[in-house]
Amino acid sequence: PTGNGRRFAAQALIRELVAAEGVDLVAILVCDSKNGQDGSRWPLPLHGPQRVLLEIRGGAPVIAWRGSFEQLLGSMAGELQVDAAISIQARATSVELMLGAVSAKNYYAMGHDYNLAFGPWSAEIQEVPSRHQQLLRRVVMLCTSEHLARFVDKWSGHTVRAELCYCADYGYFDEPGSSEPEPCFEGECVTFISPCPPKGLAIVLRLALMLPRTKFL
């Protein structure tokens, strides 16, 4: 996934699954859609998925399998049978790979933001449900806020099950209060990371107008 928040959340999830008692982490599939087999910094393997060592922030490295969508799907389909399968993002290719490569009793997708296949900010607004929308109906969305969970339920027409999971992004699965941030007494600017309407851009713009002496970045 892109962005440190999603990346750290995914690594924290893996770290906690490895440390959990009574939980067996069967396999980690790394779908590499950014590199090719020629001319890339990390070229894809020529003959099926590649066994790699995945560095985990705050934990020990783990074994994973890296390859293209086709390589992972072709080699894993029918081979992986688990109780739960988790896609670390809700993109169509990630969810489709999970559903096609893994036979699971329960499927989950981590919902980090509002970049989904439905809702007022979707690029897939249409009368007939898209392939992406149909895929999401088969998973449980782990949403990083109550608002996102309600958003998924409403704009999917109650066809996608959404559950609140703060640890899907912020917090990175740490226990509440275990990593209290240090008070900030320095600085003179207000920073808004990736401003967009779902995050309350209109409210921040109004605050900026109301507080002319405060610097907003």
Side-chain angles (χ1 to χ4, degrees):
T2 58
N4 283 338
R6 300 181 188 184
R7 184 179 299 110
F8 291 162
Q11 293 187 357
L13 171 64
I14 296 172
R15 184 190 68 223
E16 294 302 312
L17 289 175
V18 171
E21 295 184 3
V23 175
D24 292 325
L25 187 58
V26 177
I28 300 174
L29 308 183
V30 179
C31 184
D32 192 339
S33 59
K34 296 184 178 180
N35 293 295
Q37 293 180 333
D38 298 315
S40 301
R41 184 177 180 183
W42 296 289
L44 288 171
L46 294 175
H47 307 289
Q50 175 187 23
R51 187 175 184 267
V52 297
L53 194 63
L54 186 65
E55 295 290 338
I56 299 299
R57 181 173 181 261
V62 295
I63 300 298
W65 295 95
R66 169 182 171 263
S68 66
F69 177 93
E70 294 76 14
Q71 288 174 333
L72 292 172
L73 183 61
S75 61
M76 301 297 175
E79 297 296 326
L80 296 177
Q81 299 183 2
V82 298
D83 293 315
I86 304 174
S87 172
I88 60 174
Q89 56 188 1
R91 293 180 180 176
T93 52
S94 299
V95 176
E96 186 173 13
L97 175 61
M98 175 180 67
L99 294 172
V102 184
S103 177
K105 297 178 181 178
N106 300 283
Y107 294 98
Y108 302 90
M110 297 173 73
H112 303 277
D113 52 37
Y114 297 81
N115 185 22
L116 299 170
F118 38 73
W121 300 287
S122 171
E124 302 181 15
I125 299 177
Q126 50 190 307
E127 294 183 4
V128 179
S130 67
R131 173 65 175 165
H132 191 185
Q133 293 170 341
Q134 294 174 351
L135 291 170
L136 291 178
R137 292 178 179 180
R138 299 175 57 187
V139 308
V140 177
M141 288 280 293
L142 302 178
C143 299
T144 194
S145 69
E146 293 182 4
H147 185 272
L148 180 56
R150 294 194 299 268
F151 180 94
V152 170
D153 180 64
K154 174 183 177 180
W155 290 102
S156 71
H158 313 293
T159 61
V160 177
R161 181 181 169 189
E163 294 186 1
L164 176 62
C165 181
Y166 291 120
C167 38
D169 203 337
Y170 309 106
Y172 310 141
F173 292 87
D174 293 328
E175 291 294 330
S178 62
S179 56
E180 292 293 334
E182 296 182 1
C184 179
F185 299 106
E186 299 180 357
E188 55 182 13
C189 298
V190 177
T191 304
F192 190 3
I193 305 298
S194 300
C196 59
K199 290 185 176 181
L201 176 59
I203 296 175
V204 174
L205 291 176
R206 171 57 64 181
L207 289 173
L209 292 174
M210 296 171 60
L211 303 171
R213 296 184 179 180
T214 302
K215 297 180 181 180
F216 286 80
L217 295 180

